[in-house]
Amino acid sequence: MMMFFAIVIGVVLLQRVFELYLAARNAKYIRSRGGYEIGAGHYKYIVGLHFLFFICLVLEVSIDASPFVLPSWWMYPFCFFLIAQLLRYWCIRSLGKHWNTRILIVPGIEPVIRGPYRFLRHPNYLVVAIELCCLPLTFSAYVTAILFTFLNAWLLLHIRIPLEEKSVYAANKQQ
């Protein structure tokens, strides 16, 4: 199990590095089109939450008394995690050069309503919620799953989504 765990964590971390590169490249493009950032003050909390998630996940799995045995039902949360990755890349593809980890506004650009955005306003946040719950459950890291699912939900529901809704949709009403 530890080899599988190390491979999964390694792949997810490489994925995050790629996404940060993509977000930086897209931010440069958006800013070149007159875009500006909203909510930069809370971004450090999102980054911190995700950083601590990986630390806690690795610690909880490493400290577990039986780290070499996956639970018999491990494939269920792991399949949900994998499906979330497909949804993540559908989100990224649908937003194209406007996908980002920050809230970046381009005046006059309407919110995207293609891809998964036809069905949900914030499908990427659903992806993150599934990841923060299912990845730890795959490896029996129950404390990490519960703690970070709730912390993420609080951050999204009380700070990130209201700010994004207000900013994105208000900016477009002014046009």
Side-chain angles (χ1 to χ4, degrees):
M1 187 212 34
M2 289 308 278
M3 180 61 78
F4 177 59
F5 177 71
I7 291 169
V8 170
I9 293 301
V11 169
V12 173
L13 288 173
L14 285 174
Q15 180 185 28
R16 294 303 176 269
V17 168
F18 167 74
E19 290 166 5
L20 289 173
Y21 162 77
L22 182 62
R25 189 183 76 188
N26 289 349
K28 186 176 179 180
Y29 169 80
I30 292 167
R31 287 186 173 106
S32 75
R33 303 292 188 266
Y36 57 93
E37 184 174 1
I38 299 292
H42 80 276
Y43 186 70
K44 62 183 170 251
Y45 299 114
I46 291 175
V47 171
L49 179 95
H50 287 262
F51 179 75
L52 286 174
F53 167 77
F54 283 105
I55 299 295
C56 289
L57 178 58
V58 169
L59 285 174
E60 186 173 355
V61 170
S62 299
I63 293 170
D64 185 4
S66 58
F68 301 106
V69 180
L70 285 168
S72 60
W73 45 267
W74 72 270
M75 76 286 292
Y76 299 112
F78 191 66
C79 284
F80 277 109
F81 173 79
L82 292 176
I83 291 167
Q85 300 319 296
L86 295 175
L87 179 56
R88 170 189 301 286
Y89 288 105
W90 190 19
C91 293
I92 290 171
R93 184 170 171 82
S94 296
L95 290 177
K97 290 184 176 186
H98 293 276
W99 179 85
N100 214 289
T101 57
R102 297 176 179 273
I103 303 173
L104 296 167
I105 308 294
V106 179
I109 301 288
E110 291 292 320
V112 171
I113 53 169
R114 66 179 170 272
Y117 296 89
R118 286 179 291 174
F119 311 107
L120 293 169
R121 279 178 70 142
H122 304 283
N124 199 64
Y125 298 146
L126 174 61
V127 168
V128 174
I130 292 169
E131 287 176 338
L132 294 180
C133 181
C134 290
L135 187 58
L137 289 179
T138 300
F139 300 100
S140 302
Y142 306 112
V143 173
T144 301
I146 293 167
L147 178 64
F148 285 90
T149 296
F150 282 109
L151 288 173
N152 180 62
W154 186 89
L155 189 59
L156 289 178
L157 294 173
H158 294 282
I159 299 173
R160 180 68 175 218
I161 291 174
L163 181 60
E164 191 169 322
E165 289 285 321
K166 179 182 170 190
S167 303
V168 171
Y169 294 97
N172 289 297
K173 286 181 184 178
Q174 295 173 356
Q175 302 302 319

